[in-house]
Amino acid sequence: MHIVRPSSSNTFQQSWIASGRILFLIAVSGLGAIGLVVLSALWAGTESDAAALDRQRQLVNARLREQVTQVAHVIGQFGNGYLARIHPASRAAGVSSSLDMVLTTATGSAISQTAMSAFGYDQAFVVDEQAHLLMMADAQTEKRYRWMKPLLLPLLQDARLEANQGAVSSERTPSSMESRLASAARPNRALANLMRLEGRPTIVGVVAINEAPQGQEQPTRQFLIVVRFIDGAALDELSRQQGLNGARFARTADADENEVAFQIDATSNGEPIGFIVWRPDLPGSRVIGRLMPALSIAALVIAVLFSVLLVRLRSSLGDLKKSELHARQLALHDVLTGLPNRAMFAMRFDECLADTQNSVERFAVALLDLDRFKAVNDTFGHAAGDELIRMAAERIRSVLRSDDTLARLGGDEFALLLRDIDDDQILPAICEAIVAELAKPFPLLKGEAVARVGGSIGVTIVPDAGRNADDIMRYADVALYEAKVGGRGQWRAYSPSMDGGRNARDILKNELREVLAKGAASLADGTQPDPIVKRPDFGSLEVYYQTIHRAENGYRASGAEALVRWRHSQRGLLTPASFIPVAEEGGLIDALGFWVLREACTAARNWPENSFVAVNVSPSQLRRPNFAEEVFTVLQETGLAPSRLELELTESSLIEDNSDVYTVLKSLRGRGVQISLDDFGTGYSCLSHLMRFDIDRIKIDRSFVSLLGTKANGAAIIGAIVALSRNLGISTTAEGVETEYQRDFLTALGCTDLQGYYFSRPAPLRELDCFRQPEDATGPRTIAPRAIA
């Protein structure tokens, strides 16, 4: 049963569990934040180490390539120098070929010694094209060379070693000076490769040191080969230059835990030669090693402080939950009886309305008063009155079902929410049982007093009486009043006859509210409302149009006035006189007027360019500070030019000297919207309104037009209005033209436009033939397809 109060211990236990979960999440989040800080530091150090190690590897690789390039450059300069000076001198001597070989062998030894002593190479050889040794060498050197020869031979066959042989002209023998200049002008090509010799990483350089003798078909070439091992002194020098701690050469990547290995690849084929191993400088690890103790201490301190904070927070949260539970109990329950109070009843009432909105379930709302309670309170005191309230609550609760709600609204007033009363016998049975229980005597003050009070009940059945919460409660109150008037100690169900005419007006207002609400629930792009959300069908609103005609040139149609109609599902087609006052009373006129404005502008955009549409504006709309912006928004959305919209005001809208109204009208006219004064002369006509508000048109009321031909003062009044308008430069429209005589007379008086049944009756858009375009819609426009903004 809803009226049973929830267990305080269960509620508190659930709140405590929820609080524990929150605290657990906070604790995990805090520890995660601390861990994230530590992990971020470790990650930053690791990234710094990786960047530093990558930089060292790049520097080592660049230094090795630089040494290879340097060897090629140095021996290339050496070969050019030899070709420019020594070799031409031998040629000039004209020695025999056999003697050339002896001189070459001796010279080769000298060249080899010069390359090793002057440039610091570990070994140097002078060879021919077939890699035959052309120098005097000891047995050990020759043996060493034989092991190297197969590896050096591919270098001699490299295409990049082709010397610039620039052939000398056959007509004459060049002089020694010319030969030296020619050799200097032709730079010698040298080649240096990184390779493995004798199992060691080695830089090998090759350069040509002779030119072929003239006249030889197959010239003999001589080359200088230099060798520099980079695993000894060269590696020490590299270690000093690049800051490689403990650098050493290894054939395999046998680096220790704190070492890194850099692979050396051969220049020609990319095969691995070996590895340079060293202890890298890792700044990130060094920084982490220094900061980690401080970070650990800080994390520990934060964790301790966070734990203390969580303990205090848990304690405070527990106290807060207890206070919240008590406050909620007081806020939603009656202190005296423990029943739901007015606030909780309203919540459950709204929930019930929402639950049954799309169903056919019927439920009832009842208001209950104890009869003669005031007499008991005055006779026996407030203590007895409180006891009577508690006993009455228990008796009422005893006859209710588990799904019913009983609430105390205050004093001796109670409210009932009775669900699922589709069976016609349920509601009478419950109400009669409550009346019978309350009619029994109440022993008070421990049996010292007995009170006989009774109770009266007023019931409203939903949805028979509508689904508006305020109206439902009011209907129940009306029914309760009828029960009390009828003699008390009984129950009454609400019927419209209890309200009389007032009730019919309220019903129409509620139905109009439902129609507008249905329109507001639809989508702005014109789609139909969600079929799942069903509302009562009270019909739909439509816009009719009555044409306005020029009083010249054959009385052609110049515009039309938009007039709203309500096609009620039970009452038929209702005119504005039937529901506009109800809309004004219920605060619905703004929404209704805005919808008509949008529909009229949408329709008029398909009319001829020289036509206009007139829309009535209520005083309530005009007093809205943002009314002008709303109008401009509609014009922009529909694409209608402002000059083709005419807003009709009543004179009552201008009675008050309201600066806001003046500002709104000035803004509208500044953008080109036309302003007309409707029913001029029937209300609070004031000539200052015409001047101050800069009116564009005066509409002469039909009551004056009907006097034409019957009373002389009718023509006089109309003539005076037309003359006044002509002098002020204001257009005039005569309403209610029904005969040809009236048409001709008003035209003769000088009216600019005419409107009335003589020309046309109000008709839906589909029947407005004078403005029909080929692409016009054929059906009526209703409020259902468009949302109210």
Side-chain angles (χ1 to χ4, degrees):
M1 180 183 294
H2 288 302
I3 57 176
V4 177
R5 290 177 293 173
S7 172
S8 299
S9 60
N10 291 339
T11 304
F12 180 75
Q13 183 178 6
Q14 294 175 358
S15 301
W16 185 256
I17 293 174
S19 302
R21 292 175 180 173
I22 294 174
L23 292 175
F24 176 75
L25 291 177
I26 294 175
V28 171
S29 300
L31 295 176
I34 296 174
L36 185 61
V37 172
V38 176
L39 291 177
S40 298
L42 295 176
W43 176 83
T46 303
E47 289 294 314
S48 178
D49 289 345
L53 183 58
D54 185 64
R55 178 60 178 168
Q56 291 180 38
R57 287 173 174 168
Q58 292 179 4
L59 290 175
V60 170
N61 184 60
R63 182 57 181 165
L64 289 177
R65 301 305 172 192
E66 181 183 347
Q67 289 187 6
V68 173
T69 303
Q70 184 180 7
V71 168
H73 175 73
V74 170
I75 65 173
Q77 294 295 327
F78 182 83
N80 286 338
Y82 179 80
L83 289 174
R85 292 177 178 83
I86 301 175
H87 185 69
S90 301
R91 287 292 183 86
V95 297
S96 64
S97 60
S98 59
L99 184 59
D100 280 344
M101 179 62 68
V102 175
L103 294 175
T104 302
T105 301
T107 304
S109 299
I111 293 173
S112 173
Q113 293 297 325
T114 301
M116 289 189 293
S117 59
F119 299 103
Y121 295 118
D122 296 304
Q123 190 67 57
F125 306 99
V126 177
V127 300
D128 61 12
E129 292 178 336
Q130 303 300 323
H132 296 143
L133 195 61
L134 300 178
M135 56 178 281
M136 294 184 294
D138 54 22
Q140 183 178 0
T141 301
E142 290 181 356
K143 181 179 180 181
R144 190 176 191 181
Y145 177 74
R146 283 197 299 270
W147 284 102
M148 295 182 180
K149 179 179 177 180
L151 299 175
L152 299 179
L153 184 58
L155 294 178
L156 299 176
Q157 299 172 352
D158 195 303
R160 291 175 290 175
L161 282 176
E162 292 182 4
N164 294 323
Q165 292 280 350
V168 181
S169 174
S170 60
E171 296 179 359
R172 66 181 182 89
T173 301
S175 65
S176 176
M177 179 61 69
E178 289 175 340
S179 178
R180 287 197 297 270
L181 291 176
S183 298
R186 295 191 298 272
N188 198 7
R189 295 185 181 181
L191 175 64
N193 276 359
L194 188 62
M195 57 190 302
R196 181 162 60 188
L197 290 179
E198 299 178 349
R200 303 167 64 184
T202 309
I203 299 176
V204 179
V206 181
V207 65
I209 58 174
N210 76 325
E211 290 181 349
Q214 297 179 6
Q216 293 186 6
E217 296 181 357
Q218 295 181 350
T220 300
R221 300 286 307 281
Q222 297 177 354
F223 299 92
L224 171 64
I225 300 177
V226 297
V227 175
R228 171 172 290 172
F229 298 106
I230 60 174
D231 59 347
L235 180 58
D236 294 338
E237 181 182 359
L238 178 65
S239 177
R240 289 192 300 272
Q241 291 177 350
Q242 307 301 330
L244 306 181
N245 299 323
R248 60 185 175 85
F249 176 77
R251 294 187 178 183
T252 60
D254 58 348
D256 296 335
E257 182 179 357
N258 296 326
E259 294 180 329
V260 295
F262 175 74
Q263 180 175 302
I264 306 173
D265 298 329
T267 305
S268 59
N269 53 21
E271 293 182 355
I273 298 174
F275 298 86
I276 297 179
V277 182
W278 75 93
R279 293 191 304 275
D281 181 22
L282 302 178
S285 298
R286 186 169 59 253
V287 172
I288 291 175
R290 295 175 181 176
L291 292 181
M292 189 54 65
L295 286 176
S296 300
I297 295 174
L300 181 60
V301 172
I302 292 175
V304 171
L305 293 177
F306 197 74
S307 300
V308 174
L309 178 62
L310 285 178
V311 172
R312 295 294 302 272
L313 182 61
R314 184 175 178 83
S315 177
S316 300
L317 193 59
D319 295 339
L320 181 62
K321 287 296 182 182
K322 292 178 182 178
S323 300
E324 180 184 357
L325 181 62
H326 182 64
R328 184 182 296 275
Q329 182 72 19
L330 294 178
L332 299 178
H333 291 81
D334 176 56
V335 178
L336 180 61
T337 62
L339 296 174
N341 60 9
R342 185 185 298 272
M344 180 174 283
F345 180 81
M347 292 170 55
R348 292 183 178 173
F349 185 24
D350 292 339
E351 292 174 0
C352 184
L353 283 175
D355 293 342
T356 60
Q357 188 71 41
N358 304 320
S359 68
V360 295
E361 177 186 345
R362 299 170 71 241
F363 68 93
V365 175
L367 294 179
L368 185 150
D369 259 359
L370 298 180
D371 301 330
R372 296 175 294 275
F373 173 76
K374 187 175 183 300
V376 173
N377 221 15
D378 294 341
T379 303
F380 302 108
H382 292 287
D386 292 344
E387 188 178 359
L388 176 59
I389 293 294
R390 286 193 295 268
M391 294 177 66
E394 289 296 330
R395 292 186 182 185
I396 298 172
R397 185 158 48 187
S398 66
V399 301
L400 296 179
R401 299 167 303 171
S402 60
D403 291 335
D404 298 333
T405 297
L406 172 63
R408 185 190 178 203
L409 304 183
D412 63 331
E413 296 178 323
F414 295 88
L416 294 169
L417 184 60
L418 308 175
R419 300 287 299 264
D420 190 15
I421 57 169
D422 295 333
D423 188 343
D424 295 338
Q425 301 300 320
I426 294 178
L427 180 61
I430 293 176
C431 292
E432 291 172 2
I434 293 175
V435 171
E437 286 292 329
L438 295 179
K440 298 177 181 179
F442 287 89
L444 304 175
L445 302 177
K446 298 181 180 180
E448 296 181 1
V450 176
R452 296 180 180 272
V453 290
S456 300
I457 306 175
V459 181
T460 304
I461 300 176
V462 182
D464 294 355
R467 292 185 181 272
N468 182 272
D470 294 337
D471 290 341
I472 290 171
M473 295 301 294
R474 188 178 66 81
Y475 296 156
D477 189 61
V478 171
L480 176 60
Y481 176 78
E482 290 292 328
K484 287 183 174 293
V485 172
R488 299 183 181 181
Q490 55 185 334
W491 70 279
R492 288 285 186 272
Y494 171 80
S495 65
S497 60
M498 295 179 180
D499 260 346
R502 174 70 181 178
N503 179 68
R505 192 179 184 91
D506 289 341
I507 291 176
L508 189 63
K509 178 176 63 178
N510 294 333
E511 293 174 347
L512 179 59
R513 182 179 288 109
E514 287 290 344
V515 173
L516 293 173
K518 181 174 63 175
S522 62
L523 301 177
D525 60 359
T527 59
Q528 293 295 332
D530 189 347
I532 298 178
V533 182
K534 296 181 180 179
R535 293 181 176 275
D537 184 11
F538 298 118
S540 59
L541 298 174
E542 301 178 10
V543 178
Y544 278 45
Y545 299 89
Q546 186 177 29
T547 55
I548 301 173
H549 298 258
R550 292 290 185 192
E552 58 183 3
N553 298 332
Y555 302 102
R556 64 178 179 83
S558 59
E561 180 181 0
L563 302 170
V564 66
R565 298 289 188 267
W566 182 0
R567 192 172 297 278
H568 197 282
S569 56
Q570 287 86 32
R571 308 186 188 195
L573 188 65
L574 302 180
T575 61
S578 303
F579 59 90
I580 290 297
V582 174
E584 293 176 342
E585 179 183 334
L588 306 175
I589 192 63
D590 290 351
L592 178 61
F594 189 78
W595 179 82
V596 174
L597 174 65
R598 174 176 286 173
E599 291 296 313
C601 291
T602 301
R605 68 183 176 185
N606 296 321
W607 297 352
E609 291 294 333
N610 58 351
S611 63
F612 68 93
V613 62
V615 181
N616 291 277
V617 177
S618 69
S620 174
Q621 289 179 273
L622 198 59
R623 285 191 290 268
R624 292 166 59 89
N626 61 337
F627 176 68
E629 286 73 15
E630 293 175 349
V631 173
F632 298 147
T633 300
V634 171
L635 292 173
Q636 183 177 5
E637 291 177 354
T638 59
L640 183 68
S643 59
R644 297 181 58 198
L645 174 63
E646 183 174 289
L647 299 181
E648 296 188 3
L649 315 178
T650 59
E651 290 181 315
S652 59
S653 304
L654 309 178
I655 294 175
E656 300 178 1
D657 189 11
N658 193 323
S659 59
D660 292 338
V661 173
Y662 174 75
T663 302
V664 169
L665 293 180
K666 183 178 180 181
S667 176
L668 290 170
R669 296 203 75 259
R671 295 281 290 271
V673 177
Q674 304 295 304
I675 305 298
S676 65
L677 194 59
D678 196 13
D679 301 333
F680 184 79
T682 61
Y684 304 90
S685 301
C686 181
L687 297 181
S688 64
H689 293 162
L690 303 179
M691 303 299 296
R692 181 185 179 195
F693 294 105
D694 203 9
I695 302 298
D696 296 291
R697 181 186 300 273
I698 292 176
K699 301 195 72 173
I700 303 174
D701 188 69
R702 66 182 65 250
S703 61
F704 298 131
V705 175
S706 63
L707 297 178
L708 294 178
T710 60
K711 294 184 179 180
N713 56 356
I717 293 174
I718 295 176
I721 295 175
V722 172
L724 174 65
S725 301
R726 185 186 302 112
N727 292 332
L728 296 177
I730 300 175
S731 302
T732 54
T733 297
E735 296 181 300
V737 180
E738 298 183 358
T739 65
E740 183 179 357
Y741 168 77
Q742 291 174 344
R743 181 199 68 179
D744 297 340
F745 193 89
L746 291 169
T747 302
L749 287 177
C751 288
T752 59
D753 295 272
L754 305 175
Q755 180 182 4
Y757 286 173
Y758 177 79
F759 298 99
S760 69
R761 291 179 176 272
L765 181 62
R766 63 179 181 273
E767 299 178 8
L768 199 63
D769 295 332
C770 57
F771 293 147
R772 182 178 298 280
Q773 299 290 337
E775 66 273 11
D776 281 350
T778 58
R781 302 296 299 274
T782 67
I783 194 172
R786 189 180 298 276
I788 298 175

